[in-house]
Amino acid sequence: MNIIRSIKGRYLGWRQRAVQRQLLAGFDAPADEITRSQWDDSLKNPTAFYLRCFHYFHTRLPEPLREHRAYFETEGRGFGEKSFHVMWFLLFREFSPQSFLEIGVFRGQTVSLAGLLARHFHLDCFTQGISPFSPAGDAVSRYRCDVDYYDDTLKNCAHFSLPAPALLKAYSTDEAARNLVASRNWAFVYIDGNHDYEVARADWDLCAAHLQPGGLIVLDDSGLTTRYAPPIFATGGHPGPSRLAQEVDRTRFREILQVGHNRVFQKI
Ligand SMILES: C[S@@+](CC[C@H](N)C(=O)[O-])C[C@H]1O[C@@H](n2cnc3c(N)ncnc32)[C@H](O)[C@@H]1O
């Protein structure tokens, strides 16, 4: 069984790389700039917008950010997709956040990207991660057991000469974590911890209550309930966060951007 799974995995990886190479070969000019007024396009046609971000990544995104993604693409250091680096770049450029909270840190790809973007845009952005820093998974995710997730996150931030982010070793539903979230009003929150509906819902409710007016919540893995049709090298998300996104109170939050399975909501 393991051999068959391994062969299937390799074949899928090969096809994913082939499709990406094909797309790259079709880019005969650098991507156009993506302006704020075009973000609505991502809601109307999320698949085309995702591919636009893919093009942008390869032809326009600053080199240090591309290198950061390459580092996390190796040795199983990170999840996510290249286009998500473009999403964070657009969000930091547009909103200049002064605080960033990530729920579900894994090995530090996004907390370190927040640090890198803060440096790139000369921002003073307080960065906080909340995660068990263990292989704790959920109904749809399993993580390796042979990594010290806390040390690894710090090591990966140091690799880019970034200051260590503030890290709390806890489940987002623990009292210490809930108190920490409630300790300030955040500019940006990224929810990417436990993907089970009940936990994602609890994360949303708490973070929504402690978000600045005009602040953003990025909800990972929530694209299944949209028109987004992921290319073979991307995924549409998971049922829990996707259901949650459907239930977001539109009188309190406006959806402003979708990049693949990441959906961005702004507090009104
Ligand atoms: C998909 S990974 C996160 C990837 C990360 N956001 C990134 O951009 O690289 C999900 C992480 O959430 C953690 N996690 C699981 N349950 C959690 C919970 N209840 N609260 C916070 N984090 C949780 C997992 O252990 C794992 O590290």
Side-chain angles (χ1 to χ4, degrees):
M1 264 329 245
N2 273 348
I3 295 178
I4 294 175
R5 205 176 304 139
S6 154
I7 293 171
K8 277 187 176 168
R10 275 162 193 249
Y11 178 64
L12 178 64
W14 175 80
R15 284 196 56 205
Q16 288 174 329
R17 285 188 295 279
V19 170
Q20 291 186 66
R21 271 198 306 274
Q22 233 171 24
L23 279 171
L24 285 176
F27 298 150
D28 42 18
D32 290 336
E33 190 46 84
I34 299 176
T35 62
R36 174 69 182 87
S37 61
Q38 294 166 341
W39 291 11
D40 269 356
D41 297 349
S42 73
L43 307 177
K44 292 182 199 133
N45 191 343
T47 309
F49 194 87
Y50 177 86
L51 294 173
R52 194 171 166 192
C53 290
F54 182 80
H55 187 188
Y56 194 101
F57 178 94
H58 285 284
T59 59
R60 248 194 131 101
L61 197 70
E63 183 65 24
L65 303 177
R66 289 211 296 266
E67 282 169 3
H68 177 269
R69 175 62 193 165
Y71 175 79
F72 279 94
E73 276 183 354
T74 52
E75 296 179 22
R77 290 193 187 103
F79 291 93
E81 297 159 19
K82 290 181 173 75
S83 296
F84 300 165
H85 269 51
V86 175
M87 175 192 77
W88 288 116
F89 175 77
L90 297 177
L91 293 176
F92 270 70
R93 186 175 69 182
E94 183 67 28
F95 292 102
S96 305
Q98 287 176 351
S99 56
F100 178 89
L101 168 65
E102 180 179 30
I103 294 183
V105 174
F106 191 56
R107 301 177 68 171
Q109 174 171 218
T110 307
V111 277
S112 60
L113 180 59
L116 210 56
L117 286 166
R119 188 159 76 195
H120 182 85
F121 290 116
H122 309 289
L123 305 173
D124 186 9
C125 179
F126 171 71
T127 302
Q128 173 78 56
I130 296 175
S131 203
F133 296 103
S134 74
D138 51 48
V140 291
S141 337
R142 282 180 173 202
Y143 306 104
R144 343 182 348 190
C145 294
D146 59 345
V147 175
D148 180 332
Y149 287 95
Y150 191 92
D151 280 1
D152 194 64
T153 296
L154 293 177
K155 199 184 83 201
N156 290 333
C157 290
H159 179 84
F160 294 95
S161 307
L162 294 166
L167 299 177
L168 177 70
K169 190 171 165 53
Y171 293 103
S172 57
T173 44
D174 289 349
E175 194 183 345
R178 294 182 61 83
N179 288 339
L180 178 58
V181 174
S183 67
R184 64 158 77 206
N185 278 339
W186 301 90
F188 277 16
V189 176
Y190 176 38
I191 299 180
D192 188 24
N194 182 311
H195 302 95
D196 297 344
Y197 170 77
E198 292 72 19
V199 182
R201 170 95 247 169
D203 290 348
W204 175 279
D205 288 343
L206 180 66
C207 294
H210 299 286
L211 192 69
Q212 296 169 6
L216 307 184
I217 299 183
V218 177
L219 190 56
D220 200 278
D221 288 306
S222 60
L224 293 182
T225 41
T226 68
R227 284 181 222 155
Y228 175 54
I232 189 169
F233 54 88
T235 70
H238 296 305
S242 300
R243 175 179 159 196
L244 170 59
Q246 283 303 89
E247 296 172 357
V248 168
D249 179 352
R250 304 296 168 137
T251 64
R252 293 180 59 219
F253 282 89
R254 184 181 306 124
E255 187 166 6
I256 59 167
L257 180 66
Q258 175 175 357
V259 178
H261 65 224
N262 276 321
R263 295 169 70 179
V264 184
F265 297 90
Q266 182 172 35
K267 192 170 185 175
I268 294 169

